[in-house]
Amino acid sequence: MAKYGEGDARWIVEERADGTNVHNWHWAERDCLEWSRARLSSLLSGLTVLSGEGGLTLRTATLDKLDGEAYVNIRKGKVIPGYELSLTLSWEAEATTESGVVKVSGAAEVPYLADENADEDPNLRVTVRGEDGPLARRAKDAFLAKGKPLVLEKIREYVAAMAKGGPAKDELDSKKTPTKAAVAAGGTAAAPAPAAKEEAPAVKEKKAKGKDKEGFKTIEMTEKFYCRAKDIYEILMDENRWKGFTQSNARISREVGGQFSLFDGSISGVNEELQEGKLIVQKWRFGSWPDGVHSTVRLVFDEPESGVTVISLKQTDVPEEDRYGNSTVVENTERGWRELIFQRIRGVFGFGI
């Protein structure tokens, strides 16, 4: 081991007099609350929901309130966003009646917007300010039907921007390796490395085995339960029990080739192989993943002794990012299996260790 101050300079992180965080090697945290306030206000204020259809004009007004915290952590160029926010957005509507122009106003509230749920749309509540008359009810229904999807779309834009670094994005982009276009414009680039020696097909195949495709990861875990293998298999394949321990809607086919939908439709897929009490293989995806992307879930059930079951889970081809650019897909998927499925099964059915 080299002594302090010695060794290959490429591996030494030096303190710089100008305070520059070279290559973002050090852990850096950027407060994004005020940036979030400005960004969400820009995205959500003044949106036209209806412009006279059915005699009703409806639009968002201003971002009245934003509470909570928002930040991004950067380490070696990797962006880790963090935020827990609540926001209130005001809206206005007016309609022309025989007695003249009638106006009504209300609010759209998002009580919890957080990075841990970045792959799901947040809950949005719509209320009316003042008397709840016919126009107020009509305006509220119109906002739920037309305004809510528009507001959620803009919130997804904010979530995607945070995943890319928020206010630190420009700084990160400026530190990336110059592109070919930049070099052509007068920049310099390092000389190309010598071509690697061509490997034999057998060697390539051996290296490829067990290696994830670029942009995808594999999740593996082993969980132990005090029950028979057929009991926990039955729970995982029975939609009524799924509804019970997840407190959400589920539809599950028990046939090979049959489809399933879990957590109110957030997860969907197809059964590929089923062996009662022994094996479940499924094509499996979140609705927020890029179109056409499916992972493969393989659950193997083993009973090393009577009354004890070990489940070995392997989920391949999990994308590192969802369609909105959030890079917490693998982490959230793994946590979901542990906390929202396996731990709840132990608690609800008494299979705990």
Side-chain angles (χ1 to χ4, degrees):
M1 180 181 294
K3 296 180 180 179
Y4 177 79
E6 297 180 356
D8 191 332
R10 293 173 299 176
W11 292 90
I12 298 174
V13 183
E14 299 178 352
E15 294 291 338
R16 289 181 48 130
D18 59 7
T20 300
N21 186 2
V22 182
H23 303 308
N24 293 297
W25 184 278
H26 302 288
W27 188 280
E29 182 171 297
R30 178 73 63 85
D31 187 346
C32 301
L33 183 59
E34 291 308 313
W35 177 88
S36 296
R37 192 186 313 279
R39 184 59 179 262
L40 285 166
S41 180
S42 174
L43 288 169
L44 297 173
S45 300
L47 298 175
T48 298
V49 180
L50 291 176
S51 54
E53 294 90 331
L56 182 66
T57 299
L58 178 61
R59 59 184 172 273
T60 64
T62 58
L63 181 67
D64 294 342
K65 185 179 73 170
L66 180 72
D67 293 328
E69 62 176 356
Y71 56 87
V72 290
N73 288 318
I74 304 170
R75 174 72 165 92
K76 296 175 69 175
K78 182 177 177 62
V79 175
I80 306 171
Y83 48 92
E84 289 188 7
L85 301 169
S86 64
L87 63 93
T88 302
L89 174 71
S90 59
W91 55 265
E92 300 170 343
E94 62 180 50
T96 303
T97 66
E98 294 180 355
S99 58
V101 177
V102 181
K103 296 183 179 181
V104 67
S105 64
E109 179 186 3
V110 176
Y112 189 66
L113 174 64
D115 60 283
E116 65 181 358
N117 300 322
D119 52 358
E120 303 172 9
D121 285 334
N123 182 36
L124 188 146
R125 297 198 292 252
V126 179
T127 57
V128 175
R129 293 169 179 158
E131 295 184 7
D132 189 18
L135 176 58
R137 289 192 293 272
R138 183 182 166 201
K140 178 180 178 181
D141 290 343
F143 197 95
L144 286 169
K146 301 290 186 178
K148 181 178 178 179
L150 183 58
V151 170
L152 292 178
E153 178 186 348
K154 296 300 182 181
I155 288 177
R156 286 193 291 268
E157 290 184 28
Y158 164 79
V159 170
M162 282 293 289
K164 293 177 181 178
K169 180 180 183 300
D170 291 341
E171 178 185 337
L172 289 168
D173 289 344
S174 69
K175 294 180 180 180
K176 290 181 180 178
T177 304
T179 62
K180 290 182 179 180
V183 173
T188 58
K197 184 178 178 181
E198 182 68 21
E199 294 178 328
V203 175
K204 289 183 179 179
E205 182 179 355
K206 183 177 180 181
K207 285 188 175 183
K209 289 182 178 179
K211 184 178 179 181
D212 293 319
K213 294 186 296 185
E214 185 175 355
F216 295 84
K217 294 293 185 182
T218 295
I219 295 172
E220 295 186 80
M221 66 180 70
T222 301
E223 297 286 329
K224 189 175 181 182
F225 301 85
Y226 279 132
C227 65
R228 301 296 303 272
K230 63 179 182 180
D231 295 331
I232 195 164
Y233 176 95
E234 185 67 23
I235 290 170
L236 292 171
M237 293 302 298
D238 183 88
E239 61 185 45
N240 290 321
R241 298 186 191 185
W242 259 95
K243 293 175 184 178
F245 76 81
T246 65
Q247 294 297 294
S248 64
N249 292 321
R251 291 185 296 102
I252 302 175
S253 169
R254 301 175 68 95
E255 303 295 328
V256 173
Q259 299 182 352
F260 62 87
S261 172
L262 310 173
F263 292 103
D264 296 321
S266 295
I267 297 169
S268 61
V270 177
N271 298 323
E272 292 203 316
E273 188 176 352
L274 300 173
Q275 297 179 29
E276 186 172 356
K278 295 181 179 180
L279 178 68
I280 297 173
V281 181
Q282 297 171 325
K283 284 294 184 185
W284 192 102
R285 64 172 271 115
F286 270 106
S288 59
W289 289 3
D291 292 339
V293 173
H294 289 78
S295 66
T296 298
V297 168
R298 185 180 182 88
L299 293 162
V300 179
F301 302 77
D302 182 41
E303 268 190 69
E305 57 185 285
S306 180
V308 175
T309 297
V310 175
I311 295 181
S312 298
L313 178 147
K314 184 173 184 179
Q315 184 170 2
T316 57
D317 296 332
V318 179
E320 293 182 333
E321 293 187 352
D322 64 15
R323 70 174 72 206
Y324 309 116
N326 300 304
S327 57
T328 56
V329 174
V330 177
E331 175 188 343
N332 289 342
T333 303
E334 184 172 1
R335 185 171 65 225
W337 278 109
R338 291 191 189 280
E339 298 179 6
L340 302 181
I341 298 177
F342 294 141
Q343 288 184 17
R344 288 192 180 181
I345 288 175
R346 290 191 183 97
V348 171
F349 297 100
F351 298 161
I353 298 301

